[in-house]
Amino acid sequence: LLAIHRSPAWRRAAALLPLMVVPVIAVLIIYGPAYAKSRQQHGARNVSEIVEYSATAADFLRVPPQNRLRGASGSGPAPDERSLYPGAAAVALAAVAFVPPVAPPAWVYLALTAVSVDAALGMNGVLFPVLQRAAPPITSLRAPARFGVLALLSLSVLAGFGVRRIM
């Protein structure tokens, strides 16, 4: 994408790309030793536990049981981690962000949303099983559905682009 668009904005974005690695390295430095120690003491998480706390497509339509308007007491397994409904307004506003002309950063947030949704799907997705094989400490994570927070965050930014378009 950066090679196709040779505008100054894309050049600035490409120059900042290495800085995006800094937070990842910081998280690995801070949390990596603790996860490694836990993995050494307790081993990897049981696959059935990871599957239970992996989101499904239906979880993106499920609200938490505490929601007074739409919550339900029988909201299935892991209702806290797997209640990922962003709301119709956020989805509609995010869609408005892609009415041409589309702001280039919107594509980045769309990609981030897609990657985050796939990561939240955990064992039901593509990315998480690959990451487990590539980075064994990932097997210490119990609830991949929590990656849904990143999906909701990036979707909210897209909704902001939609609001800007409307205004």
Side-chain angles (χ1 to χ4, degrees), residues 2 5-18:
L2 291 174
H5 299 285
R6 299 193 183 274
S7 69
W10 282 101
R11 286 190 191 128
R12 285 192 306 270
L16 293 174
L17 208 55

Side-chain angles (χ1 to χ4, degrees), residues 33-44 140:
Y35 270 101
K37 185 177 179 183
S38 173
R39 183 176 163 80
Q40 188 178 34
Q41 290 176 347
H42 306 289
S140 297

Side-chain angles (χ1 to χ4, degrees), residues 17-160:
L17 208 55
L19 291 178
M20 294 170 56
V21 176
V22 171
V24 173
I25 291 172
V27 167
L28 290 175
I29 289 171
I30 294 168
Y31 291 106
Y35 270 101
K37 185 177 179 183
S38 173
R39 183 176 163 80
Q40 188 178 34
Q41 290 176 347
H42 306 289
R45 294 270 183 186
N46 187 336
V47 174
S48 64
E49 186 178 21
I50 296 172
V51 168
E52 180 181 348
Y53 289 96
S54 293
T56 64
D59 293 332
F60 288 92
L61 298 175
R62 185 188 348 187
V63 297
Q66 298 86 358
N67 185 304
R68 291 182 192 261
L69 180 62
R70 298 196 54 224
S73 59
S75 46
D80 290 337
E81 283 92 355
R82 291 180 49 187
S83 297
L84 302 171
Y85 182 61
V91 173
L93 288 170
V96 170
F98 291 95
V99 172
V102 179
W107 294 109
V108 175
Y109 283 101
L110 180 64
L112 180 59
T113 303
V115 169
S116 300
V117 165
D118 185 61
L121 291 172
M123 298 306 283
N124 301 316
V126 175
L127 184 61
F128 194 80
V130 170
L131 283 175
Q132 278 192 314
R133 287 189 291 277
I138 295 291
T139 58
S140 297
L141 295 176
R142 177 180 66 103
R146 291 180 185 163
F147 283 110
V149 171
L150 295 175
L152 298 176
L153 177 64
S154 54
L155 186 71
S156 70
V157 172
L158 288 173

